[in-house]
Amino acid sequence: MSVSESSKLLDVRGLTVDIETEDGLFRAVDHVSFSIAAGETFGLVGESGCGKSVTSMSLARLIPCPPCSITSGEVLFCGRDLLKLPIEELRRIRGKEIGVIFQEPMTALSPLIRVGEQLAEVVHLHEKIDHKEALERARLWLDKVGIPDTRRCISAYPFELSGGMRQRVMIAMALILQPKLIIADEPTTALDVTIQAQILDLMREVKGPDAALLIITHDMGVIWEMCQKMAVMYASRIVETGSVKELFANPLHPYTQGLLRSIPSMNIGVERLPHISGQVPSLLKLPPGCAFAERCGIATEACKASVPQLADNKGHAVACFKTPR
Amino acid sequence: MPPLVSIDDIKVWFPIRKGVFNRVVGNVRAVDGVSLDIMPGETMGLVGESGCGKTTIGRAIIGLQPVTSGKILFEGEDISQFGHNERQRFCRSCQMVFQDPYSSLNPRMTVLDIITEAMVYHGLISSRERETKALELLAEVGMGRDALNRYPHEFSGGQRQRISIARALSLNPRFIVCDEPVSALDVSVQAQVINLLMDLREKHSLSYLFISHDLSVVRLISQRVAVMYLGHIVEIGKAEEVLEKPLHPYTQALLSAVPRPGKNVEERIILKGELPSPANPPTGCPFHPRCPYATDECRTALPAFVGTEHKCACYHFSKLA
């Protein structure tokens, strides 16, 4: 399934982000490339510290620079490179054309401003509209995201709402201007499963047929449920990417295979969980070769010597020397 | 065989105080009448969503949380009646592994101190034996000598949880409360820690109370499972029965809500609304405001447990099975 150039809403090419820390400089995102078509849902999956959040936040340049610096790459959104846009122009795109749903709604919402005002602020920033109308629009969207008592919610402070309700407010805020691209960074990680089911259902429902959705998560189940395409990240690189159906049915990278195997299943008769031994290497001291070689059961000397590049095979790309090409 | 731990109708209420005189204006009913038996060598899984009272039960069992009413028996003895010596002995046989490996280890102590502190306090070892004993424990959890003189912040989440487990094992307990031990960990590391807990259970014939919100993890490690909702146990039974043939509508919804590769989204039961506040619980069955099958009966009186091995507190369970 190849997406023609014109239908790509977002095209990330060779995005590289370095982060300066007290212990030295490390590469948090290393030549990451992927593209999302309009209406598509794309999942970026990986464990903590693999660079998935930094990737998503650098798309709209929401990462603090310094300590971060985007050293190379292009983020083409509707044909414009977001990394080169002047900041004023980028501000017109953020919120209006790219909406972001952050992981922790308690820290993402301002604790001092009432929910309605926060939502109205988004509208004011992008449209000339009087305050009453903006508030009415806010109320309408709170209703759309399934908040029962919208009149009360509008004048509530975020701390007065439950986690699920706060996440609904976040979603309303990201969607209120009906952006073309929605970036959701671990949108349900802080929530209970029954609430997670509600929120995922809601996101599918309110996204609209033309908007693209980028979901960042560590949960393979969420990816399966929500996305058409996905990429697996490990130690700041994409190690495997393709359609969700293909990747789950036929994972090629040993890391993806391990990840899928270590999901505890509900099947009877499982005595022990197959696990990936060892742990993610420190990004400050990455090995010269494949970052997964240390934990990989089939690694050879070649894997430890040089870094495998993503090799595409009919839309299913994998970065591993050991997979048949 | 008598149960190792027996909880008899415990209630843990937290008073809500208001005003200048700190008058009690209400109670948060974290645990509202729970009975549970844990057999020697058994792992009991306790599942439920945040705020349902599962951690409070775990804390009450090891004596960290006084109960409002009801009794907790450990090997047949009421733990609230223990004197100093009995209490010390009880502490040695009951340990806990906490949820967050980032806050449950003292950042100013080295791993050696963390692991051996309890043993030294209980006079089980002399300070000269500390290092050898600590090394033994570290080996049990799959860590080496190089960890000994380092501080918790130098380790990853999975390794910290291993250190917590080594600390819990140090007093040679018979019973360990594992409070969401893998929730803060990544999937690949999560599997390592679960496998470790299962190995240790075999080796030391331990009993666990395994608290988690993740049904699949509980399924893997527990022989029996109890499902909690708003301070009550709504269903209890053998792990495979509860998780494969759930009777209570809440268990059914909880199971269907877990996103899982290969699962059909269309068949999902999506619950309406959220967990009610335990400060103002609904009358009757605690689940009735969100239950698709609720009738008038459910709104008035709390349903009793039905069944022998696989028990469920629901008026409609026969229709749902």
Side-chain angles (χ1 to χ4, degrees):
Chain A
M1 188 176 69
S2 75
V3 183
S4 66
E5 287 296 312
S6 57
S7 69
K8 278 179 189 170
L9 179 72
L10 179 77
D11 191 6
V12 181
R13 294 179 185 168
L15 180 70
T16 303
V17 182
D18 285 345
I19 300 181
E20 180 91 52
T21 66
E22 276 180 15
D23 303 323
L25 188 85
F26 68 86
R27 187 147 284 186
V29 180
D30 195 357
H31 292 92
V32 162
S33 304
F34 60 92
S35 63
I36 309 177
E40 192 174 57
T41 303
F42 189 92
L44 198 55
V45 70
E47 296 179 281
S48 11
C50 74
K52 54 190 192 303
S53 286
V54 179
T55 305
S56 68
M57 289 303 119
S58 0
L59 299 182
R61 283 170 34 204
L62 288 170
I63 49 169
C65 306
C68 304
S69 56
I70 301 174
T71 43
S72 69
E74 287 178 321
V75 177
L76 299 174
F77 176 72
C78 302
R80 283 170 298 177
D81 187 355
L82 296 183
L83 301 182
K84 297 213 175 66
L85 278 188
I87 194 75
E88 302 79 46
E89 255 176 78
L90 185 63
R91 281 205 184 110
R92 281 200 287 273
I93 291 178
R94 287 178 186 162
K96 174 121 179 83
E97 289 176 49
I98 301 180
V100 185
I101 301 167
F102 295 96
Q103 172 169 9
E104 227 311 323
M106 194 61 217
T107 47
L109 296 171
S110 165
L112 299 175
I113 305 174
R114 294 175 198 273
V115 167
E117 300 291 328
Q118 294 195 44
L119 284 167
E121 189 189 355
V122 184
V123 184
H124 281 305
L125 280 173
H126 296 281
E127 287 174 27
K128 281 206 160 51
I129 186 172
D130 73 71
H131 194 59
K132 227 176 178 174
E133 262 176 78
L135 273 179
E136 182 50 32
R137 180 103 68 96
R139 204 194 57 77
L140 198 81
W141 272 92
L142 288 177
D143 190 49
K144 269 197 186 174
V145 297
I147 286 178
D149 191 354
T150 51
R151 293 257 166 248
R152 202 185 65 83
C153 182
I154 263 191
S155 51
Y157 289 97
F159 73 86
E160 297 176 82
L161 306 173
S162 69
M165 284 299 158
R166 282 199 288 265
Q167 199 55 285
R168 284 171 195 268
V169 172
M170 274 301 309
I171 293 175
M173 192 181 277
L175 290 172
I176 195 163
L177 295 170
Q178 288 171 294
K180 291 183 189 140
L181 172 69
I182 304 149
I183 301 172
D185 186 7
E186 304 261 10
T188 56
T189 306
L191 308 173
D192 279 314
V193 275
T194 58
I195 307 296
Q196 165 170 299
Q198 292 175 354
I199 296 289
L200 292 181
D201 199 45
L202 173 72
M203 281 171 46
R204 262 194 299 269
E205 196 184 293
V206 296
K207 174 179 88 81
D210 300 327
L213 179 60
L214 171 64
I215 296 186
I216 319 296
T217 180
H218 65 272
D219 190 335
M220 283 289 199
V222 171
I223 296 274
W224 167 264
E225 211 166 84
M226 299 290 292
C227 307
Q228 287 98 46
K229 286 210 296 178
M230 68 185 284
V232 181
M233 274 187 92
Y234 185 78
S236 42
R237 287 167 171 273
I238 288 182
V239 294
E240 188 164 4
T241 176
S243 83
V244 169
K245 284 214 175 85
E246 166 69 16
L247 238 81
F248 274 78
N250 184 21
L252 292 177
H253 198 282
Y255 176 64
T256 318
Q257 293 169 353
L259 261 190
L260 285 172
R261 268 202 305 266
S262 53
I263 304 172
S265 73
M266 286 292 186
N267 302 335
I268 324 170
V270 183
E271 286 301 313
R272 278 179 74 88
L273 267 182
H275 65 250
I276 309 174
S277 59
Q279 46 188 318
V280 185
S282 158
L283 291 177
L284 285 164
K285 297 181 281 215
L286 274 184
C290 172
F292 188 63
E294 281 285 301
R295 306 172 75 186
C296 180
I298 55 167
T300 58
E301 285 309 309
C303 302
K304 288 176 185 154
S306 62
V307 181
Q309 299 300 320
L310 270 180
D312 189 51
N313 181 13
K314 293 182 202 127
H316 183 173
V318 60
C320 180
F321 291 125
K322 299 292 288 175
T323 46
R325 305 199 167 188
Chain B
M1 198 163 36
L4 181 68
V5 178
S6 175
I7 306 174
D8 185 18
D9 194 28
I10 61 161
K11 290 184 178 163
V12 182
W13 291 8
F14 297 100
I16 307 167
R17 295 175 190 278
K18 264 201 181 140
V20 259
F21 299 111
N22 264 339
R23 269 190 316 136
V24 176
V25 294
N27 286 296
V28 173
R29 303 177 178 200
V31 178
D32 206 11
V34 163
S35 301
L36 195 69
D37 284 341
I38 301 168
M39 296 295 164
E42 183 184 51
T43 298
M44 169 68 87
L46 193 56
V47 290
E49 294 177 279
S50 9
C52 72
K54 51 193 194 306
T55 298
T56 309
I57 290 189
R59 291 172 59 88
I61 291 180
I62 61 163
L64 284 176
Q65 174 63 53
V67 296
T68 312
S69 74
K71 264 194 299 198
I72 298 172
L73 306 178
F74 185 75
E75 298 182 306
E77 291 172 73
D78 188 343
I79 68 162
S80 63
Q81 306 298 318
F82 281 157
H84 179 74
N85 290 343
E86 289 157 317
R87 172 129 210 114
Q88 295 272 310
R89 207 189 47 202
F90 168 69
C91 285
R92 289 200 288 274
S93 39
C94 260
Q95 286 292 312
M96 187 153 179
V97 174
F98 295 91
Q99 171 169 15
D100 182 4
Y102 292 85
S103 54
S104 64
L105 300 174
N106 187 336
R108 291 175 164 236
M109 283 164 83
T110 61
V111 171
L112 173 68
D113 293 335
I114 289 171
I115 295 181
T116 54
E117 186 189 22
M119 288 189 286
V120 172
Y121 171 79
H122 284 277
L124 298 180
I125 53 165
S126 68
S127 50
R128 239 180 304 145
E129 294 166 294
R130 281 174 66 210
E131 214 174 297
T132 30
K133 191 69 197 165
L135 279 175
E136 266 172 47
L137 286 163
L138 281 176
E140 290 238 37
V141 296
M143 291 175 79
R145 174 179 282 274
D146 57 322
L148 218 50
N149 291 311
R150 288 158 70 190
Y151 290 89
H153 74 87
E154 298 175 58
F155 296 95
S156 68
Q159 284 177 308
R160 283 186 220 209
Q161 208 54 298
R162 284 169 192 269
I163 297 167
S164 303
I165 294 168
R167 174 176 64 181
L169 285 176
S170 68
L171 294 173
N172 217 353
R174 306 186 45 203
F175 178 66
I176 299 181
V177 174
C178 303
D179 185 10
E180 305 252 16
V182 296
S183 314
L185 308 177
D186 279 314
V187 221
S188 72
V189 183
Q190 191 174 335
Q192 293 175 10
V193 174
I194 296 169
N195 285 339
L196 172 68
L197 284 169
M198 294 205 276
D199 292 342
L200 293 171
R201 176 175 66 190
E202 291 286 295
K203 202 170 158 199
H204 301 276
S205 44
L206 292 165
S207 301
Y208 293 138
L209 176 69
F210 193 93
I211 300 170
S212 179
H213 66 274
D214 188 337
L215 293 153
S216 42
V217 169
V218 167
R219 164 77 186 83
L220 203 71
I221 198 167
S222 323
Q223 279 105 42
R224 283 201 298 152
V225 168
V227 182
M228 276 194 83
Y229 188 80
L230 207 67
H232 296 267
I233 289 181
V234 295
E235 184 164 359
I236 184 168
K238 285 215 179 80
E240 59 269 24
E241 283 180 23
V242 173
L243 299 177
E244 267 141 45
K245 292 180 212 90
L247 296 176
H248 198 280
Y250 176 63
T251 319
Q252 292 174 349
L254 199 61
L255 277 165
S256 97
V258 184
R260 191 171 303 285
K263 198 152 143 180
N264 190 353
V265 189
E266 308 299 311
E267 291 162 18
R268 164 156 304 160
I269 308 167
I270 291 183
L271 288 178
K272 281 190 227 91
E274 302 187 12
L275 199 73
S277 160
N280 186 18
T283 54
C285 172
F287 187 57
H288 87 250
R290 298 172 79 189
C291 181
Y293 311 101
T295 55
D296 280 340
E297 193 177 22
C298 307
R299 291 180 194 105
T300 44
L302 187 71
F305 273 117
V306 191
T308 46
E309 274 280 287
H310 183 180
K311 292 190 281 189
C312 163
C314 178
Y315 290 117
H316 306 291
F317 88 97
S318 54
K319 277 177 265 166
L320 304 174

